[in-house]
Amino acid sequence: MTEYNYTPLNQEAGEIRLLELLPRPFNAPICITLKITVLSRQNIPRFKALSYAWGNAQDRVKIHVVAGRRVQGVRSAALNITRSLAEALRHLRQKRQSMVFWIDQICVDQANLEERGNQVLRMPDIYSLAKGVVVWLGPESDDSEVAMEIFSKIGPDVTVYWDRNEFQVDPSSNFYSRDLDLSPEQCHSITTLLSRAWFERLWVMQEICLTEKRICVICGFSRISFVDLGNAIFYLYSFEGYWNTAMQGTLFVKSLRLWGIKASGANSLDWLLNQTKLHKCSDERDKVYAVLSMLPETAKAGIYPDYTISAPEVLAKLVLQPLNSQATLRMLGHASVKDRVPSWVPGLTNPEVTANYFSCADLNARAHAYSTSQGVLTVTGVCVTVAHEVKKDLPRIVPEDRMKSANVVRCFLTSIAGKEHSGSELSKLHTLCLTLCAESFAEKYMPPYPGWLSLKELNDYLTCLYKWLSLESAEPPELYPSTLKIIRHINRMIRGKMLFITTDGRLGLAPESTVPGDLVCVILGCPWPLILRPGSHSSHEVVGKCYINGIMDGGALLGELPKNWMLVYKSFPELQIYYPVLLDIATQGIHLHDPRLGPLPAGWRIENHKEDYAYNCFVNDTTGEATIHDPRLEPEALKTRGVDLREYRLV
């Protein structure tokens, strides 16, 4: 049987390929036809899109591509596909009726790099215009039918409010009492199913988020709606006693992110990259392209799928394109020395940089940086302090068992606060509260971030443990109902991080690869402080972003905020963002103007645009320049204030 040869698509005409899965018995050879058609808002053929995991690219089987709908007596050509997809087609195929699908592995000529790039651009149209999406989790195995039955019983009776991170159970449901009785075997079937490749595949995010049609999830011969599946997973995760290991918790968190992203939408490249770092794809370039496909055009930073350039070139574009077009270096917050050379390009798979927290250490200053062909990025910033002691001996994650978690937090307290119950030690305890969660508390958001931990909850919890520590009692005190919530919030922030102390006594969270002598720097254009490691020839490597108490609100550039003022993040629903503003605690007034800044330079004025009310626009009447970057934060102005700005050569 000859190999199938693809007929080229007319990309300008909006052509795509659709496959018709021909009816045959379950164990019969798989036969399909391929048809080229135009897909547009005016011409929408009836088809479903398949969302699945490719599986082992080397483990392939042949299927038959026939010239017409008749199978017997018709010459066919062979097409190699992965065994994983072949299993899906066999389970989806009907005995008497054909089905029409769009499936990337078959409908895109994978050997044609130009076509691959163009069809990736079409995927938002394909998944949004499809009649529905079918999710294939794989064949039955490891008691998957048990897990699917549990999901099917729970899901229809639970409603999840994803924007508030809460759920409600139908009062008439058998689960209304919140009593859940799962055997170890049932728990194993659930976690094993959540371990399947589909839940960690990055392209799934786009395939699910872009469709508003019904999504059917299939595992073997079991089916459930996508909505019910998400409801069931969310509900099960709320039970503390069943999922005590970090691995189990990660499985749930990674799975639930898909439903959270679909519910909230996304218009921030930075946010989506953080949410998808734990997800996988076979081609590293797709770590960028899959995320970009979910964003509006204005948020894509001028980067489009191009499989003719290398992965390092694509990742470098993530830094350089926003630098050139928006004067920002936000993407440095995703860099890590452990990932690659140069160290300043984003590391999109490193767990050290998965924690996402707001910071405004640079006060949205304009980036002053330039790159060279030798892979050097020269940036402007200030060294705030130096890493002195890193707490590598402390646990990296808090177990979700109450007794074990109490002992782990006890280690934190012993290391940082000591055993003496005094005013100064209680001050250290408060600093530890802020640091363990990188100041990501409900109180830092207006309105409070749904479902997030409050500073009071964590402070009460740590104070209780601190008193237990000072009494040197063997048994931990009675803990609060919110213990699980507290532990999960801490773990979200400290995963891949460790506590460290600087030479001037500050407490912070830094990447695990941080060593004494590393610099803590604020770089103009990057909202997070960065750990930089001095190298040869006055060069520096980016170790990763960090949290340092006292500088996340611009303190490194302008000093401390006046008493009763604090930086908070206000929600602007029209823009779908949280944006930093200043809160006068005494009056509860919200201000865009920073009281630490003096008057504007001559010729400059502030102009507020109705659509840009989340931030100020600065206009120079002499030159006509308009910018969102405050001219009082330009290098010369900062140097006049005594800020020791320097250039750092990042390699």
Side-chain angles (χ1 to χ4, degrees):
M1 188 163 47
T2 60
E3 296 293 322
Y4 179 75
N5 289 315
Y6 283 93
T7 301
L9 296 176
N10 185 339
Q11 307 291 350
E12 293 182 357
E15 289 183 346
I16 66 168
R17 294 186 192 89
L18 293 176
L19 74 86
E20 183 179 9
L21 181 59
L22 300 179
R24 301 205 72 188
F26 184 84
N27 290 316
I30 297 170
C31 296
I32 67 169
T33 66
L34 281 174
K35 176 185 177 183
I36 294 177
T37 185
V38 172
L39 177 68
S40 68
R41 298 286 169 180
Q42 294 73 40
N43 186 68
I44 306 176
R46 291 178 63 84
F47 70 96
K48 292 183 179 180
L50 183 67
S51 177
Y52 68 106
W54 273 47
N56 185 350
Q58 307 306 316
D59 185 12
R60 292 186 169 267
V61 297
K62 291 183 184 294
I63 64 171
H64 300 265
V65 182
V66 300
R69 297 188 62 178
R70 289 177 55 225
V71 177
Q72 302 296 333
V74 175
R75 184 182 298 274
S76 64
L79 182 64
N80 285 312
I81 64 172
T82 62
R83 187 175 301 276
S84 174
L85 177 55
E87 288 176 336
L89 294 177
R90 202 174 294 282
H91 280 77
L92 293 172
R93 181 171 58 183
Q94 298 185 3
K95 289 184 178 180
R96 295 181 177 83
Q97 186 176 357
S98 63
M99 304 177 70
V100 180
F101 288 97
W102 186 89
I103 303 174
D104 58 353
Q105 192 180 144
I106 296 175
C107 296
V108 179
D109 182 358
Q110 299 296 323
N112 186 329
L113 298 184
E114 182 180 357
E115 180 177 305
R116 277 177 61 189
N118 286 324
Q119 289 294 287
V120 166
L121 285 174
R122 296 298 316 274
M123 285 174 71
D125 289 336
I126 291 169
Y127 278 88
S128 63
L129 297 177
K131 180 183 176 183
V133 172
V134 176
V135 172
W136 171 249
L137 298 182
E140 286 184 357
S141 65
D142 299 308
D143 293 326
S144 58
E145 68 279 7
V146 174
M148 290 291 283
E149 183 180 5
I150 293 171
F151 293 149
S152 296
K153 287 181 177 179
I154 295 174
D157 293 327
V158 176
T159 301
V160 177
Y161 303 98
W162 298 100
D163 58 334
R164 304 201 302 267
N165 206 30
E166 299 173 353
F167 71 88
Q168 183 178 2
V169 181
D170 184 341
S172 63
S173 166
N174 294 330
F175 302 100
Y176 185 65
S177 64
R178 288 180 57 87
D179 290 333
L180 191 67
D181 185 17
L182 293 178
S183 68
E185 293 76 19
Q186 288 174 315
C187 290
H188 179 72
S189 72
I190 291 169
T191 54
T192 302
L193 185 63
L194 295 182
S195 301
R196 294 205 177 197
W198 184 84
F199 288 99
E200 63 181 12
R201 181 173 173 264
L202 181 55
W203 279 111
V204 161
M205 293 283 186
Q206 182 214 49
E207 295 161 1
I208 296 301
C209 293
L210 292 176
T211 182
E212 297 298 328
K213 310 290 176 50
R214 176 177 169 80
I215 303 172
C216 177
V217 182
I218 302 175
C219 181
F221 298 99
S222 302
R223 297 174 178 239
I224 188 174
S225 78
F226 178 77
V227 172
D228 287 347
L229 178 60
N231 292 344
I233 295 173
F234 191 99
Y235 175 82
L236 289 166
Y237 187 46
S238 70
F239 286 86
E240 177 178 352
Y242 292 104
W243 329 109
N244 291 326
T245 70
M247 184 195 74
Q248 289 172 332
T250 300
L251 288 175
F252 276 92
V253 169
K254 185 162 55 175
S255 302
L256 289 172
R257 278 183 179 172
L258 175 56
W259 280 267
I261 291 174
K262 182 170 177 60
S264 63
N267 63 357
S268 165
L269 174 60
D270 173 63
W271 182 79
L272 267 181
L273 288 174
N274 269 299
Q275 293 296 307
T276 58
K277 280 213 174 85
L278 295 175
H279 291 78
K280 299 177 182 178
C281 51
S282 56
D283 189 324
E284 193 173 17
R285 293 168 292 190
D286 287 337
K287 292 289 287 187
V288 178
Y289 297 154
V291 168
L292 289 173
S293 66
M294 290 186 276
L295 293 170
E297 197 66 29
T298 54
K300 293 183 178 180
I303 304 173
Y304 299 97
D306 183 353
Y307 289 93
T308 65
I309 63 176
S310 67
E313 289 176 288
V314 174
L315 294 171
K317 275 189 171 186
L318 277 180
V319 176
L320 299 178
Q321 292 280 83
L323 170 63
N324 295 328
S325 62
Q326 303 165 17
T328 179
L329 287 168
R330 287 188 66 88
M331 287 299 112
L332 288 182
H334 297 270
S336 170
V337 70
K338 289 183 66 175
D339 276 312
R340 63 188 76 255
V341 176
S343 66
W344 52 267
V345 301
L348 302 185
T349 58
N350 190 348
E352 287 197 359
V353 286
T354 54
N356 191 28
Y357 51 89
F358 284 116
S359 174
C360 196
D362 74 326
L363 296 171
N364 195 35
R366 184 200 306 268
H368 287 263
Y370 56 92
S371 65
T372 65
S373 58
Q374 287 75 34
V376 177
L377 178 66
T378 302
V379 300
T380 301
V382 57
C383 178
V384 182
T385 185
V386 179
H388 173 65
E389 181 183 358
V390 293
K391 302 291 184 177
K392 290 185 179 292
D393 56 324
L394 293 181
R396 296 294 190 269
I397 199 161
V398 181
E400 293 189 0
D401 175 88
R402 291 187 178 216
M403 182 67 181
K404 292 178 181 177
S405 69
N407 280 305
V408 168
V409 177
R410 187 175 187 172
C411 291
F412 291 155
L413 294 169
T414 304
S415 178
I416 303 302
K419 293 187 178 182
E420 183 184 352
H421 197 83
S422 65
S424 62
E425 300 307 322
L426 288 177
S427 175
K428 290 181 182 178
L429 184 65
H430 177 70
T431 301
L432 179 61
C433 283
L434 297 175
T435 305
L436 282 177
C437 292
E439 292 186 38
S440 292
F441 299 103
E443 295 93 333
K444 290 286 285 186
Y445 304 94
M446 299 182 68
Y449 202 75
W452 272 49
L453 186 70
S454 73
L455 178 57
K456 183 180 185 305
E457 284 178 293
L458 181 58
N459 193 70
D460 288 348
Y461 174 67
L462 291 187
T463 300
C464 178
L465 291 179
Y466 184 59
K467 290 177 180 177
W468 166 48
L469 170 62
S470 63
L471 293 173
E472 298 187 349
S473 170
E475 292 296 321
E478 184 66 29
L479 299 179
Y480 310 103
S482 57
T483 297
L484 183 62
K485 175 182 176 183
I486 292 169
I487 292 170
R488 287 177 175 173
H489 191 78
I490 291 174
N491 284 339
R492 188 158 49 227
M493 292 298 133
I494 68 172
R495 181 177 285 110
K497 298 280 194 292
M498 64 181 178
L499 291 169
F500 78 112
I501 299 174
T502 64
T503 51
D504 58 352
R506 300 173 191 260
L507 181 65
L509 278 176
E512 290 180 338
S513 49
T514 302
V515 298
D518 285 346
L519 310 182
V520 178
C521 298
V522 171
I523 304 300
L524 299 186
C526 181
W528 298 277
L530 298 179
I531 300 288
L532 301 184
R533 180 165 300 156
S536 59
H537 307 295
S538 301
S539 66
H540 291 80
E541 292 179 312
V542 180
V543 179
K545 69 180 179 184
C546 68
Y547 167 86
I548 288 286
N549 185 256
I551 68 170
M552 309 302 283
D553 58 5
L557 301 180
L558 301 181
E560 292 185 4
L561 278 166
K563 189 177 180 180
N564 292 327
W565 284 70
M566 69 180 293
L567 187 109
V568 297
Y569 297 89
K570 187 178 187 314
S571 173
F572 293 90
E574 296 86 349
L575 303 176
Q576 293 187 309
I577 59 169
Y578 277 88
Y579 208 81
V581 296
L582 289 157
L583 172 67
D584 184 335
I585 299 173
T587 66
Q588 290 296 295
I590 296 295
H591 303 271
L592 297 181
H593 176 72
D594 194 316
R596 295 169 292 184
L597 289 168
L600 285 165
W604 286 90
R605 62 182 170 84
I606 294 176
E607 182 175 293
N608 294 99
H609 291 287
K610 198 169 185 179
E611 65 271 25
D612 294 334
Y613 61 93
Y615 47 85
N616 284 322
C617 181
F618 301 92
V619 178
N620 188 313
D621 289 327
T622 303
T623 64
E625 178 186 0
T627 177
I628 62 171
H629 304 294
D630 196 320
R632 292 166 292 187
L633 296 173
E634 289 295 309
E636 291 306 315
L638 291 172
K639 289 178 181 178
T640 301
R641 299 178 66 100
V643 180
D644 186 18
L645 289 179
R646 301 182 182 182
E647 285 192 344
Y648 295 89
R649 296 177 64 251
L650 306 183
V651 296

PDB file of all heavy atoms in Angstrom, residues 430-445:
ATOM      1  N   HIS A 430       5.457  38.050  61.909  1.00  0.00           N
ATOM      2  CA  HIS A 430       4.647  38.790  60.942  1.00  0.00           C
ATOM      3  C   HIS A 430       5.358  38.838  59.583  1.00  0.00           C
ATOM      4  O   HIS A 430       4.730  38.660  58.535  1.00  0.00           O
ATOM      5  CB  HIS A 430       4.381  40.206  61.457  1.00  0.00           C
ATOM      6  CG  HIS A 430       3.615  41.052  60.495  1.00  0.00           C
ATOM      7  ND1 HIS A 430       2.284  40.837  60.207  1.00  0.00           N
ATOM      8  CD2 HIS A 430       3.997  42.112  59.724  1.00  0.00           C
ATOM      9  CE1 HIS A 430       1.870  41.725  59.322  1.00  0.00           C
ATOM     10  NE2 HIS A 430       2.886  42.496  59.015  1.00  0.00           N
ATOM     11  N   THR A 431       6.668  39.052  59.615  1.00  0.00           N
ATOM     12  CA  THR A 431       7.436  39.068  58.369  1.00  0.00           C
ATOM     13  C   THR A 431       7.390  37.716  57.681  1.00  0.00           C
ATOM     14  O   THR A 431       7.290  37.620  56.458  1.00  0.00           O
ATOM     15  CB  THR A 431       8.899  39.462  58.647  1.00  0.00           C
ATOM     16  OG1 THR A 431       8.933  40.759  59.252  1.00  0.00           O
ATOM     17  CG2 THR A 431       9.719  39.493  57.367  1.00  0.00           C
ATOM     18  N   LEU A 432       7.441  36.634  58.488  1.00  0.00           N
ATOM     19  CA  LEU A 432       7.351  35.300  57.917  1.00  0.00           C
ATOM     20  C   LEU A 432       5.997  35.086  57.254  1.00  0.00           C
ATOM     21  O   LEU A 432       5.908  34.470  56.185  1.00  0.00           O
ATOM     22  CB  LEU A 432       7.575  34.248  59.010  1.00  0.00           C
ATOM     23  CG  LEU A 432       7.498  32.783  58.571  1.00  0.00           C
ATOM     24  CD1 LEU A 432       8.563  32.467  57.534  1.00  0.00           C
ATOM     25  CD2 LEU A 432       7.625  31.843  59.762  1.00  0.00           C
ATOM     26  N   CYS A 433       4.920  35.614  57.878  1.00  0.00           N
ATOM     27  CA  CYS A 433       3.582  35.530  57.267  1.00  0.00           C
ATOM     28  C   CYS A 433       3.591  36.158  55.882  1.00  0.00           C
ATOM     29  O   CYS A 433       3.093  35.581  54.913  1.00  0.00           O
ATOM     30  CB  CYS A 433       2.555  36.259  58.143  1.00  0.00           C
ATOM     31  SG  CYS A 433       2.041  35.368  59.607  1.00  0.00           S
ATOM     32  N   LEU A 434       4.143  37.363  55.790  1.00  0.00           N
ATOM     33  CA  LEU A 434       4.178  38.065  54.507  1.00  0.00           C
ATOM     34  C   LEU A 434       5.009  37.303  53.479  1.00  0.00           C
ATOM     35  O   LEU A 434       4.658  37.215  52.301  1.00  0.00           O
ATOM     36  CB  LEU A 434       4.745  39.474  54.700  1.00  0.00           C
ATOM     37  CG  LEU A 434       3.952  40.429  55.601  1.00  0.00           C
ATOM     38  CD1 LEU A 434       4.723  41.735  55.783  1.00  0.00           C
ATOM     39  CD2 LEU A 434       2.581  40.705  55.022  1.00  0.00           C
ATOM     40  N   THR A 435       6.130  36.733  53.945  1.00  0.00           N
ATOM     41  CA  THR A 435       7.078  36.113  53.027  1.00  0.00           C
ATOM     42  C   THR A 435       6.591  34.770  52.506  1.00  0.00           C
ATOM     43  O   THR A 435       6.737  34.472  51.311  1.00  0.00           O
ATOM     44  CB  THR A 435       8.444  35.953  53.724  1.00  0.00           C
ATOM     45  OG1 THR A 435       8.872  37.220  54.214  1.00  0.00           O
ATOM     46  CG2 THR A 435       9.477  35.400  52.761  1.00  0.00           C
ATOM     47  N   LEU A 436       6.020  33.943  53.383  1.00  0.00           N
ATOM     48  CA  LEU A 436       5.582  32.618  52.947  1.00  0.00           C
ATOM     49  C   LEU A 436       4.573  32.691  51.814  1.00  0.00           C
ATOM     50  O   LEU A 436       4.463  31.758  51.014  1.00  0.00           O
ATOM     51  CB  LEU A 436       4.973  31.844  54.120  1.00  0.00           C
ATOM     52  CG  LEU A 436       5.948  31.223  55.118  1.00  0.00           C
ATOM     53  CD1 LEU A 436       5.201  30.558  56.255  1.00  0.00           C
ATOM     54  CD2 LEU A 436       6.881  30.225  54.438  1.00  0.00           C
ATOM     55  N   CYS A 437       3.840  33.791  51.757  1.00  0.00           N
ATOM     56  CA  CYS A 437       2.844  33.929  50.690  1.00  0.00           C
ATOM     57  C   CYS A 437       3.146  35.092  49.756  1.00  0.00           C
ATOM     58  O   CYS A 437       2.284  35.494  48.968  1.00  0.00           O
ATOM     59  CB  CYS A 437       1.452  34.070  51.288  1.00  0.00           C
ATOM     60  SG  CYS A 437       0.893  32.558  52.084  1.00  0.00           S
ATOM     61  N   ALA A 438       4.374  35.617  49.814  1.00  0.00           N
ATOM     62  CA  ALA A 438       4.792  36.697  48.916  1.00  0.00           C
ATOM     63  C   ALA A 438       3.774  37.846  48.882  1.00  0.00           C
ATOM     64  O   ALA A 438       3.510  38.430  47.837  1.00  0.00           O
ATOM     65  CB  ALA A 438       5.040  36.163  47.504  1.00  0.00           C
ATOM     66  N   GLU A 439       3.188  38.114  50.051  1.00  0.00           N
ATOM     67  CA  GLU A 439       2.187  39.179  50.210  1.00  0.00           C
ATOM     68  C   GLU A 439       0.962  38.970  49.324  1.00  0.00           C
ATOM     69  O   GLU A 439       0.244  39.928  49.012  1.00  0.00           O
ATOM     70  CB  GLU A 439       2.797  40.563  49.957  1.00  0.00           C
ATOM     71  CG  GLU A 439       3.801  40.995  50.996  1.00  0.00           C
ATOM     72  CD  GLU A 439       4.283  42.418  50.805  1.00  0.00           C
ATOM     73  OE1 GLU A 439       3.476  43.287  50.427  1.00  0.00           O
ATOM     74  OE2 GLU A 439       5.481  42.651  51.025  1.00  0.00           O
ATOM     75  N   SER A 440       0.733  37.741  48.918  1.00  0.00           N
ATOM     76  CA  SER A 440      -0.450  37.449  48.102  1.00  0.00           C
ATOM     77  C   SER A 440      -1.603  37.059  49.016  1.00  0.00           C
ATOM     78  O   SER A 440      -1.920  35.875  49.179  1.00  0.00           O
ATOM     79  CB  SER A 440      -0.148  36.329  47.097  1.00  0.00           C
ATOM     80  OG  SER A 440       0.771  36.763  46.135  1.00  0.00           O
ATOM     81  N   PHE A 441      -2.219  38.061  49.617  1.00  0.00           N
ATOM     82  CA  PHE A 441      -3.334  37.874  50.523  1.00  0.00           C
ATOM     83  C   PHE A 441      -4.577  38.541  49.960  1.00  0.00           C
ATOM     84  O   PHE A 441      -4.493  39.439  49.119  1.00  0.00           O
ATOM     85  CB  PHE A 441      -3.032  38.474  51.893  1.00  0.00           C
ATOM     86  CG  PHE A 441      -1.855  37.850  52.582  1.00  0.00           C
ATOM     87  CD1 PHE A 441      -0.635  38.487  52.632  1.00  0.00           C
ATOM     88  CD2 PHE A 441      -1.977  36.615  53.180  1.00  0.00           C
ATOM     89  CE1 PHE A 441       0.444  37.908  53.257  1.00  0.00           C
ATOM     90  CE2 PHE A 441      -0.906  36.021  53.808  1.00  0.00           C
ATOM     91  CZ  PHE A 441       0.314  36.667  53.854  1.00  0.00           C
ATOM     92  N   ALA A 442      -5.720  38.105  50.476  1.00  0.00           N
ATOM     93  CA  ALA A 442      -6.984  38.682  50.017  1.00  0.00           C
ATOM     94  C   ALA A 442      -7.004  40.189  50.210  1.00  0.00           C
ATOM     95  O   ALA A 442      -7.549  40.923  49.380  1.00  0.00           O
ATOM     96  CB  ALA A 442      -8.147  38.031  50.772  1.00  0.00           C
ATOM     97  N   GLU A 443      -6.384  40.668  51.298  1.00  0.00           N
ATOM     98  CA  GLU A 443      -6.427  42.112  51.607  1.00  0.00           C
ATOM     99  C   GLU A 443      -5.658  42.964  50.599  1.00  0.00           C
ATOM    100  O   GLU A 443      -5.853  44.183  50.537  1.00  0.00           O
ATOM    101  CB  GLU A 443      -5.843  42.376  53.003  1.00  0.00           C
ATOM    102  CG  GLU A 443      -6.633  41.773  54.136  1.00  0.00           C
ATOM    103  CD  GLU A 443      -6.142  40.390  54.523  1.00  0.00           C
ATOM    104  OE1 GLU A 443      -5.581  39.686  53.652  1.00  0.00           O
ATOM    105  OE2 GLU A 443      -6.320  40.015  55.687  1.00  0.00           O
ATOM    106  N   LYS A 444      -4.789  42.347  49.821  1.00  0.00           N
ATOM    107  CA  LYS A 444      -3.999  43.106  48.847  1.00  0.00           C
ATOM    108  C   LYS A 444      -4.764  43.384  47.562  1.00  0.00           C
ATOM    109  O   LYS A 444      -4.244  44.043  46.660  1.00  0.00           O
ATOM    110  CB  LYS A 444      -2.716  42.343  48.507  1.00  0.00           C
ATOM    111  CG  LYS A 444      -1.703  42.302  49.630  1.00  0.00           C
ATOM    112  CD  LYS A 444      -0.994  43.630  49.827  1.00  0.00           C
ATOM    113  CE  LYS A 444       0.029  43.891  48.747  1.00  0.00           C
ATOM    114  NZ  LYS A 444       0.820  45.096  49.006  1.00  0.00           N
ATOM    115  N   TYR A 445      -5.991  42.873  47.487  1.00  0.00           N
ATOM    116  CA  TYR A 445      -6.772  43.018  46.261  1.00  0.00           C
ATOM    117  C   TYR A 445      -8.086  43.724  46.553  1.00  0.00           C
ATOM    118  O   TYR A 445      -8.677  43.574  47.615  1.00  0.00           O
ATOM    119  CB  TYR A 445      -7.044  41.637  45.638  1.00  0.00           C
ATOM    120  CG  TYR A 445      -5.782  40.869  45.384  1.00  0.00           C
ATOM    121  CD1 TYR A 445      -5.295  39.961  46.313  1.00  0.00           C
ATOM    122  CD2 TYR A 445      -5.043  41.071  44.225  1.00  0.00           C
ATOM    123  CE1 TYR A 445      -4.117  39.272  46.105  1.00  0.00           C
ATOM    124  CE2 TYR A 445      -3.867  40.386  43.997  1.00  0.00           C
ATOM    125  CZ  TYR A 445      -3.407  39.487  44.939  1.00  0.00           C
ATOM    126  OH  TYR A 445      -2.237  38.806  44.730  1.00  0.00           O
TER     127      TYR A 445
END
